[in-house]
Amino acid sequence: MQEQQTEAVAETSPPTNLARDIALYTVVRLAMLVAVTAVIALCGVPLLVAAAVSVVVVMPLSMLVFSGLRRRVATGMVHRAQRREQLRAQLRGDRENTDDEH
C-alpha cells in the first residue's frame, strides 16, 4: 500500500532535487542522533551506551518527525527510476513505453 501511495504522489508532484533532499534528510537524522546521545550522556550514561541507545530511539522517531522529508526523498527516487526506465526504453527503441516528446 505504501508503494501505491508513493507512486500516486510521484505521478502528481513535480520532481525535486533528490541529492539535496537526501543530504538534508541524512544531516537532520544525524543531528537528532547527536542531540539524543548528548541528552542521554548528560544523565550520566557512558557515551558508547548512550550512542547505542540513541540509534535505537532515533531510527523510528526520525521516521515520524521527518516523515514529510522522507516522503520527498521517496518521491524523488520514484521519479528518478521512472526517468531512468524511460531513457532505457528510448535506447532500446521501444516506442510504447516512452512518452513521445517529438
Side-chain angles (χ1 to χ4, degrees):
M1 180 159 168
Q2 178 71 15
E3 292 175 6
Q4 292 172 346
Q5 290 174 346
T6 303
E7 289 174 4
V9 169
E11 292 173 1
T12 60
S13 63
T16 61
N17 189 347
L18 182 60
R20 182 199 66 211
D21 289 343
I22 290 174
L24 182 62
Y25 187 59
T26 302
V27 167
V28 296
R29 285 187 76 181
L30 287 174
M32 181 182 263
L33 179 70
V34 169
V36 171
T37 301
V39 168
I40 295 173
L42 288 175
C43 293
V45 177
L47 187 60
L48 189 58
V49 174
V53 170
S54 295
V55 168
V56 173
V57 170
V58 166
M59 248 192 262
L61 184 62
S62 66
M63 290 183 74
L64 292 172
V65 173
F66 306 120
S67 63
L69 186 55
R70 183 177 49 85
R71 279 192 213 107
R72 265 193 354 216
V73 169
T75 301
M77 293 175 83
V78 169
H79 279 292
R80 181 177 175 196
Q82 289 173 347
R83 180 66 181 142
R84 182 177 288 169
E85 184 56 38
Q86 287 175 350
L87 292 173
R88 285 183 179 156
Q90 287 176 354
L91 288 172
R92 285 192 308 264
D94 294 346
R95 291 285 180 197
E96 60 190 346
N97 292 337
T98 61
D99 295 330
D100 290 330
E101 296 176 3
H102 302 290

